Amino acid sequence: MNQPTANLPIQEVLYQKVVDHLAFIYPELEIEPIAQDLIRTMRLDEDCQSPLAHKNLWDQTDIAVITYGNSILSDDQPPLKTLHHFLQTHFPMLINTVHILPFFPYSSDDGFAVSAYKQVDPTLGDWSDILRISTDFHLMADLVINHCSAQHEWFLNYQQGEDPGSDFFVEADPKEDLSKVVRPRVTPLLRATSTPRGTRHVWCTFGHDQVDLNFANPKVLAKIVDIIRMYLDMGVRVFRLDAVAFIWKKLGTNCLNLAETHEIVRLLRTLIEHANPNAVIITETNIPNQENLSYFGNANEAHCIYNFSLPPLLVNTLVTGNCRYLKNWLMSMPPAQNGTTYFNFIASHDGIGLRPVEGLLDDSEQEALIQTMENFGGQISWRALDDGSNKPYEINISLFDALKGTTAGEDQWQLERFICAHAIMLALEGIPAFYLHSLVGTTNDYERMKTHGHNRAINRRQWQEQALNEHLANPDTHHHKVFHNLRRLIQLRREQPAFHPNATQFTLHLGDQVFAFWRQSLDRRQSIFCLNNISDQPHTIHLNAINLIGTDQWKDLISDAIFDDMLATVTLDPYQTLWISNRW
């Protein structure tokens, strides 16, 4: 009879977990040596810690910023030092997590075609700059594991038939039926490549400069685990698993979200949390909502998942003045178990994804949204379908420009609409993440898009730090107004227990023009009623419609207005937000 795991040393418990994961992934292989090698690589044979199940590694003070290492530049120091200085100057005690998008040498895709995983791009700085940032902020870094650059040593070795790399990539016969494979791009899936064995066709989910790694080969897994160990040593606490849904290939399937993919995520979770119980894994899966939710597993896969449906639904809500679709989605979202939560964002280095609203927005709503975004200067990126046709994949536009008007055209409410969007994000269940360019109100960068030749560059401006600071200091600029409004909302959020990422959330029904929900702190002492007028017309609400408890005192945390008559009404201006709380 097996001895209960509760009575075993932690190293033995870990070993058995790793063996179980590997047995599922590689049923035909001898897995014990692989398990031992992975544990040694992570140095868990020397220092193995015991993670607590269902422990929340966050609270309402956790706020993230997403940025490239070179989004802010100065003439006299490397970009990573400039970024660090900017964040220290403007966001002390406000932002505690920094996601620096791939800061490694790369050949394309603004960093996501990694050519050397263990180096810092010398144009950005070096590992000492990364370590310094990690001492002041929780550092979030990308683990780009679906593919590597065609310029990576592994692929160059593959082309020469040398190791490491000769068997690191997925080969397929172009005569095979690959029509079921889900694609996020319109480029051909396979790339013809010369090797000592003749011409081979390698799998490229995202493009021919990004060659997919073959996780069916455990040597690839071992290399990735070795990279993870180094990132932990360099101060990385939060791991973003980029494009992880695509990492396992099986002919005859769509090669998306396969069971082996989920098991690899569980394995990486096991290894990482036994090395650092405070480390967090976030899966980046830009796919339909129900598939995205599956990456929580049973609180044994991702700690956090990107809330990919939020950006398109929220933008649609604010440009139509109708929250019906957003409200229906919110009601359908399951509360995250303790130890898991949502990673909320409404803008990022990529575009506004459309796959996450499949089944949530009907075709006519999507068409109207796309047309409105094009009217505001946005571009559309496409993906290939199995019938050979193309379908809109994402909208490329800065969030500030995306909200410059409604489906009726531009109007005077751009700033208010933009602040309302972020007030909603800050109040929702989960951890809020701001794209750096949203914090400072960056607009479409048409020149950069033209220079770089791809649509996503429209929202990847590079600022000179001095020029940006001048804009932020000038009260007449929209940059100043955005920056100071968002800073104040962030500070307010951090002080409210009811905004804990796992606090209770309940959708309220106050019509299609007021998006409203209730949050209650984990100890049930604080309630906040979040009312958001998502239209360009004033709206009046009866306080008794939101069931304020008459024995409590209530105050809007944003305007400081006191509500002491439960039978009174309150009128919300266009795009105004109220956070009505019984504790302040």
Side-chain angles (χ1 to χ4, degrees), residues 99 112 140-147 206 215 224 228 231 236 238-247 261-269 272 280-286 292 295 301-306 308:
H99 174 202
F112 286 92
M140 178 173 168
D142 290 275
L143 197 59
V144 185
I145 60 174
N146 177 71
H147 51 262
F206 288 88
F215 277 86
I224 296 302
I228 290 172
Y231 290 0
V236 174
V238 185
F239 290 84
R240 176 185 184 268
L241 304 190
D242 176 67
V244 71
F246 298 94
I247 63 174
T261 295
H262 283 280
E263 197 66 36
I264 289 172
V265 174
R266 294 184 194 112
L267 169 61
L268 297 181
R269 162 80 176 258
I272 289 171
V280 171
I281 292 175
I282 301 181
T283 49
E284 188 267 335
T285 49
N286 192 356
N292 188 31
Y295 282 87
E301 292 188 37
H303 295 89
C304 306
I305 60 172
Y306 275 78
F308 274 108

Side-chain angles (χ1 to χ4, degrees), residues 127-326:
W127 281 114
S128 67
D129 298 310
I130 295 295
L131 280 166
R132 273 191 289 270
I133 292 172
S134 74
T135 62
D136 289 332
F137 301 93
H138 300 322
L139 177 61
M140 178 173 168
D142 290 275
L143 197 59
V144 185
I145 60 174
N146 177 71
H147 51 262
C148 69
S149 165
Q151 299 304 311
H152 194 285
E153 176 193 15
W154 297 340
F155 191 66
L156 298 179
N157 285 347
Y158 169 82
Q159 293 172 301
Q160 300 300 318
E162 299 174 357
D163 289 323
S166 65
D167 51 359
F168 276 20
F169 299 93
V170 181
E171 296 178 352
D173 186 337
K175 295 178 183 178
E176 293 277 0
D177 180 8
L178 302 172
S179 61
K180 291 183 179 179
V181 177
V182 171
R183 299 295 316 289
R185 300 288 186 272
V186 295
T187 54
L189 175 63
L190 301 182
R191 164 184 165 159
T193 304
S194 296
T195 77
R197 297 174 290 120
T199 299
R200 293 291 185 268
H201 293 83
V202 292
W203 197 290
C204 301
T205 297
F206 288 88
H208 286 186
D209 189 45
Q210 293 165 291
V211 192
D212 285 36
L213 292 164
N214 182 15
F215 277 86
N217 180 353
K219 290 188 290 186
V220 170
L221 176 64
K223 287 289 186 182
I224 296 302
V225 170
D226 180 54
I227 290 165
I228 290 172
R229 179 66 259 183
M230 181 188 179
Y231 290 0
L232 283 166
D233 293 340
M234 291 296 117
V236 174
R237 176 179 166 182
V238 185
F239 290 84
R240 176 185 184 268
L241 304 190
D242 176 67
V244 71
F246 298 94
I247 63 174
W248 195 269
K249 280 73 175 174
K250 186 180 295 183
L251 293 181
T253 74
N254 63 5
C255 299
L256 187 67
N257 308 316
L258 298 184
E260 292 85 352
T261 295
H262 283 280
E263 197 66 36
I264 289 172
V265 174
R266 294 184 194 112
L267 169 61
L268 297 181
R269 162 80 176 258
T270 295
L271 293 170
I272 289 171
E273 69 182 4
H274 279 81
N276 180 357
N278 292 316
V280 171
I281 292 175
I282 301 181
T283 49
E284 188 267 335
T285 49
N286 192 356
I287 51 180
N289 191 50
Q290 289 304 313
E291 297 171 35
N292 188 31
L293 288 167
S294 70
Y295 282 87
F296 277 142
N298 184 25
N300 61 351
E301 292 188 37
H303 295 89
C304 306
I305 60 172
Y306 275 78
N307 220 342
F308 274 108
S309 298
L310 179 60
L313 286 174
L314 184 51
V315 171
N316 179 75
T317 292
L318 289 164
V319 299
T320 62
N322 189 310
C323 66
R324 176 164 56 98
Y325 293 99
L326 181 64

Side-chain angles (χ1 to χ4, degrees), residues 63-64 66 282 304-311 329-330 333 341-347 422 424-435 493 501 505 519:
I63 312 281
I66 305 165
I282 301 181
C304 306
I305 60 172
Y306 275 78
N307 220 342
F308 274 108
S309 298
L310 179 60
W329 165 77
L330 192 68
M333 292 295 281
T341 195
Y342 297 103
F343 193 71
N344 293 327
F345 73 109
I346 48 177
H422 287 91
I424 290 171
M425 179 185 75
L426 280 165
L428 285 171
E429 175 188 355
I431 298 170
F434 290 83
Y435 189 37
R493 178 219 155 78
Q505 177 172 284
R519 302 295 309 278

Side-chain angles (χ1 to χ4, degrees), residues 11-26 29-45 218-219 221-222 225 267 270-271:
Q11 279 88 355
E12 292 187 35
V13 174
L14 169 66
Y15 175 75
Q16 190 56 55
K17 284 184 176 181
V18 173
V19 165
D20 290 345
H21 293 310
L22 291 171
F24 184 92
I25 301 166
Y26 305 114
L29 299 182
E30 183 182 355
I31 56 176
E32 286 79 5
I34 302 172
Q36 292 165 0
D37 180 56
L38 295 181
I39 289 170
R40 277 194 303 268
T41 298
M42 286 290 283
R43 299 200 299 275
L44 297 176
D45 54 340
K219 290 188 290 186
L221 176 64
V225 170
L267 169 61
T270 295
L271 293 170

